[in-house]
Amino acid sequence: MPLHKSANDRDDEPDLQLNPIFARPGDNESVPRLRIPDGPMDPDSAYQLVRDELLLDGQPRLNLATFVTTWMEPQAARLMAETADRNLVDKDEYPQTAELERRCVHMIADLWNGLDPDGEGEAGPVGCSTTGSSEAAMLAGMALLRRWRQQRRSAGETADRPNLVMGINVQVCWEKFCRYWDVEPRYAPMEPGRRHLTAASALPLGDENTIGVVAILGSTQDGSYEPVAEIAAALDALATGGGPDIPIHVDAASGGFIAPFLEPELVWDFRLPRVASINASGHKYGLVYPGLGWVIWRDEAALPEDLVFRVNYLGGSMPTFSLTFSRPGAQVAAQYYALLRLGREGYRRVQQTSRDTALYLSSSIAQLGPFQLLTDGSQLPVFAFALRDGIANYSVFDLSDGLRRRGWQVPAYTLPANLEKEAVLRIVVRNGFSRDLADLLLVDLKRELEHFGRLREALPERPDRDNFHH
């Protein structure tokens, strides 16, 4: 989460003013902005004050930068409101909420081909819900690190120089993991024609100190899938040839709820013996409002026992493995609702509609003339595009800024090393972004292109371009 500094040097900020229409008897006409008021106020007045300020936020449905769910059915939203007071960690007091979490873990493990098709899977995968994919990735990384240390020490080897292999396109949570747990990150840089990790780029980076390889099923940079099966095959050959036996963690933050429904034949999950764990975001293409992630390990051997805590002061002994403790059970209830409500066919239809819209939008943008596609939305319903060579009067940053004036949030950013000079726009299509909204976006994009086409000289380069909107 972002850090906020104290506002000691901003005591001159004006108070919040109550609109007289909404002020109730006994309310003050103004409310301090940066300190707690001296007394209470009418709940309707407080609600109106906060709600009015939030009107300045962008419209979530027009936010094409975020992967996070921005629309759920009214029944799901009502269910979340009714269960927001359930403390998920208090499994003794709220046993049925805990049961719904267990069922979701079982369903998702089955979705990722982690269950024994001939049995009930009771001795198979283990997992839990988290506050999001970032926490799930941290937990998976901790398990990789602890298992590597145990193996090294059992073999009488030193265990003080761990490293993690991944593409430079990984989400920032992996950089945080490496920094927080003193693990050396080994990044495979991008190259012309290759914008994610491959077997050829991963293999030279691994050695006996590598705790794992992170493969991404759905890059946030361009929506592409990394070739998990090819990476696994290369690591299999390395281990067979006497090299280190390196496990894979699949960061399927987005693709974990796309590929199983749209490309069930794609092998990326627990069908590959080298895949030790997988994470995904329930609050992305899992179709739940923000605050939910999932992490599943192949079996108990992949999750070292000494990472699991057992607490009893909430009324009963319960195992827990998380970086947080208390959190609402609402998101888990909503995930269970979505899995029951949609089923496999319902999820397939929702995700296929998003992909169809992405393909329609990407092909329409390619036909406008000034753009070249990096991806087209045929994997994740996400695509990236850049300006063609020779266009110098404006940049993707100017286009992003122009669209923002119409309410659209379309991020512009430069790619990581070694493609830092390549700047792109990216569009994320989610459930709730209809074909009609896509047409409205195209109208506004054409309007911006017409405006920039009339420029007689180049716009000045944005000084904040490196910190624009990732």
Side-chain angles (χ1 to χ4, degrees):
M1 64 178 66
L3 296 177
H4 302 282
K5 295 183 179 180
S6 173
N8 290 336
D9 58 340
R10 298 169 62 188
D11 289 338
D12 58 342
E13 285 199 16
D15 289 348
L16 300 172
Q17 300 296 319
L18 282 177
N19 188 322
I21 295 177
F22 303 123
R24 276 77 178 176
D27 281 346
N28 295 321
E29 293 182 358
S30 63
V31 180
R33 190 184 299 262
L34 299 177
R35 60 181 178 83
I36 299 175
D38 294 331
M41 65 188 305
D42 185 271
D44 288 330
S45 298
Y47 168 81
Q48 189 68 47
L49 192 62
V50 176
R51 183 178 181 277
D52 285 352
E53 290 223 7
L54 291 175
L55 291 174
L56 295 174
D57 276 348
Q59 291 293 326
R61 296 277 289 282
L62 302 184
N63 183 357
L64 304 182
T66 184
F67 287 76
V68 172
T69 297
T70 55
W71 183 87
M72 292 189 74
E73 291 178 314
Q75 294 89 337
R78 186 167 69 245
L79 183 63
M80 292 187 72
E82 292 169 352
T83 54
D85 57 353
R86 311 289 174 89
N87 187 359
L88 184 61
V89 77
D90 194 348
K91 294 176 171 55
D92 188 66
E93 187 68 25
Y94 306 112
Q96 203 58 33
T97 301
E99 169 62 13
L100 297 190
E101 182 187 30
R102 188 190 72 84
R103 293 179 192 175
C104 286
V105 167
H106 202 81
M107 290 177 173
I108 295 169
D110 181 44
L111 183 67
W112 296 340
N113 294 289
L115 300 183
D116 180 0
D118 298 324
E120 294 299 321
E122 292 298 332
V126 294
C128 62
S129 67
T130 63
T131 56
S133 259
S134 292
E135 183 188 1
M138 292 279 182
L139 298 181
M142 290 168 62
L144 290 174
L145 177 60
R146 185 59 60 93
R147 190 169 72 161
W148 171 82
R149 281 180 174 160
Q150 290 175 348
Q151 292 171 345
R152 293 282 292 176
R153 289 167 179 166
S154 296
E157 303 286 347
T158 60
D160 57 352
R161 299 180 61 186
N163 67 71
L164 183 67
V165 173
M166 50 198 159
I168 192 69
N169 56 309
V170 292
Q171 213 267 354
V172 70
C173 66
W174 290 106
E175 180 181 354
K176 288 183 177 180
F177 166 76
C178 289
R179 188 178 301 180
Y180 294 167
W181 275 271
D182 291 325
V183 174
E184 177 195 353
R186 292 189 175 177
Y187 297 116
M190 291 185 175
E191 297 174 355
R194 181 181 62 77
R195 293 183 298 277
H196 59 220
L197 190 70
T198 61
S201 61
L203 215 58
L205 299 176
D207 58 27
E208 67 278 3
N209 291 319
T210 300
I211 67 173
V213 172
V214 176
I216 306 174
L217 195 75
S219 171
T220 57
Q221 297 285 341
D222 61 8
S224 61
Y225 293 162
E226 292 183 341
V228 183
E230 292 180 16
I231 296 171
L235 292 174
D236 287 344
L238 177 66
T240 302
D245 190 8
I246 303 174
I248 290 176
H249 172 78
V250 180
D251 184 348
S254 298
F257 282 99
I258 293 288
F261 301 113
L262 300 187
E263 299 165 88
E265 73 286 350
L266 180 67
V267 178
W268 62 273
D269 50 22
F270 290 120
R271 285 171 288 184
L272 298 170
R274 192 155 295 276
V275 172
S277 51
I278 303 171
N279 73 275
S281 287
H283 64 220
K284 292 181 180 175
Y285 289 104
L287 307 181
V288 176
Y289 280 147
L292 182 65
W294 299 97
V295 58
I296 310 288
W297 288 270
R298 169 179 294 280
D299 49 37
E300 291 183 353
L303 176 59
E305 172 63 24
D306 59 357
L307 288 177
V308 179
F309 287 81
R310 284 171 171 78
V311 297
N312 61 10
Y313 63 80
L314 290 178
S317 180
M318 66 197 79
T320 177
F321 181 37
S322 65
L323 298 179
T324 61
F325 197 66
S326 296
R327 58 189 175 92
Q331 284 82 1
V332 167
Q335 183 74 85
Y336 188 63
Y337 167 88
L339 293 169
L340 288 184
R341 164 77 174 89
L342 294 172
R344 285 182 177 256
E345 177 57 21
Y347 263 94
R348 188 201 65 78
R349 291 173 59 188
V350 169
Q351 314 299 33
Q352 186 64 58
T353 297
S354 294
R355 179 181 283 180
D356 290 345
T357 302
L359 290 168
Y360 165 74
L361 192 54
S362 65
S363 63
S364 299
I365 287 175
Q367 294 170 16
L368 293 179
F371 303 112
Q372 58 182 358
L373 295 177
L374 278 68
T375 49
D376 62 1
S378 57
Q379 292 185 319
L380 280 190
V382 176
F383 63 95
F385 55 103
L387 287 171
R388 295 188 180 277
D389 293 339
I391 297 177
N393 279 11
Y394 60 95
S395 69
V396 293
F397 303 95
D398 298 314
L399 278 169
S400 179
D401 206 27
L403 291 171
R404 186 179 289 269
R405 288 192 292 269
R406 288 283 295 168
W408 302 104
Q409 298 178 56
V410 179
Y413 51 91
T414 55
L415 294 176
N418 293 322
L419 301 179
E420 302 96 330
K421 295 183 179 180
E422 189 168 351
V424 303
L425 293 158
R426 187 198 66 211
I427 289 178
V428 179
V429 177
R430 305 176 309 280
N431 184 34
F433 185 76
S434 64
R435 184 70 64 92
D436 179 59
L437 284 175
D439 285 330
L440 292 175
L441 173 63
L442 287 170
V443 169
D444 286 336
L445 183 55
K446 291 175 183 177
R447 181 184 294 112
E448 291 300 315
L449 292 177
E450 291 171 359
H451 165 69
F452 291 131
R454 293 192 294 268
L455 294 175
R456 296 183 178 273
E457 58 184 23
L459 293 171
E461 185 172 308
R462 298 184 62 98
D464 59 342
R465 59 179 295 172
D466 290 338
N467 298 310
F468 200 61
H469 193 165
H470 288 253

